[in-house]
Amino acid sequence: LTGLYNKALYGQQLHDHFHRCLRYERQLAYIFLDIDHFKNINDTYGHLTGDIALKAVSRIVMDNIRQSDTAYRFGGEELCVLLPESSESDGVEVAEKLRSIIESMEFPTDNDLTIRFTASFGVACTTPNMRRPEDLSSCADEAVYHAKRTGRNKVVPHSSLGGTASLN
């Protein structure tokens, strides 16, 4: 539907990128994107419009990341992007660009209307104390939920939350 990689490939590639970064002491930034109020889009305009919106956001992501970055459909309206050789601030810069584009766009519906919506972003980066790929994804997940709880349509870097995610 979206043209993005699926969740099955995501797991393997996250594992590979994460362990390569640990081995070579490199950074891997992780962007988690969640379309705001996506259920309302589906409920108000129909699932075809929801699909159109999801495809449009996926295209925006693909058009605004580097060739070395990879984007995945993680869940219904949740996407994530892996940015090898990138710091958290690099990830925040990319996420802010995506957020701004999505916020400014008008998206067509299947009944010749246009709608506007926003997305919330969480960004994290590998740190020396991380041992598992899930540590990185949990940090980005924590950041995106903070963005949603504190107003939506924003980019939250995990480092701004203070403290660290629980690492096993």
Side-chain angles (χ1 to χ4, degrees):
L1 175 69
T2 63
L4 302 179
Y5 292 115
N6 64 24
K7 192 172 181 178
L9 187 60
Y10 154 83
Q12 184 59 50
Q13 290 191 347
L14 173 61
H15 177 273
D16 292 348
H17 281 300
F18 180 84
H19 289 290
R20 191 175 306 113
C21 285
L22 284 183
R23 180 177 183 181
Y24 296 109
E25 297 179 358
R26 303 285 192 197
Q27 291 185 306
L28 173 64
Y30 185 116
I31 299 172
F32 196 114
L33 174 166
D34 193 335
I35 297 173
D36 295 329
H37 304 294
F38 189 73
K39 183 178 181 332
N40 291 345
I41 295 170
N42 281 337
D43 291 348
T44 304
Y45 301 101
H47 290 277
L48 289 177
T49 296
D51 287 350
I52 290 168
L54 192 54
K55 286 185 221 177
V57 169
S58 298
R59 175 59 28 214
I60 289 167
V61 169
M62 291 303 298
D63 288 347
N64 290 282
I65 61 175
R66 303 170 304 183
Q67 189 173 0
S68 60
D69 302 332
T70 48
Y72 308 85
R73 182 175 181 193
F74 189 79
E77 74 279 8
E78 299 166 336
L79 309 178
C80 63
V81 183
L82 299 179
L83 299 94
E85 303 289 330
S86 298
S87 66
E88 186 180 72
S89 63
D90 296 331
V92 167
E93 185 177 323
V94 171
E96 182 54 40
K97 179 179 181 182
L98 296 172
R99 188 207 61 75
S100 178
I101 293 169
I102 293 166
E103 176 186 46
S104 68
M105 295 281 298
E106 290 188 345
F107 299 90
T109 70
D110 59 334
N111 12 349
D112 298 325
L113 300 171
T114 57
I115 60 171
R116 297 179 74 119
F117 56 86
T118 59
S120 297
F121 295 79
V123 180
C125 187
T126 50
T127 63
N129 62 335
M130 290 182 178
R131 295 292 170 247
R132 303 172 308 135
E134 296 80 12
D135 297 337
L136 177 60
S137 59
S138 292
C139 288
D141 190 51
E142 185 179 340
V144 79
Y145 280 106
H146 184 79
K148 291 185 109 27
R149 282 192 310 270
T150 59
R152 303 180 193 270
N153 190 29
K154 61 172 73 171
V155 174
V156 173
H158 184 262
S159 62
S160 72
L161 301 180
T164 59
S166 14
L167 306 176
N168 297 330

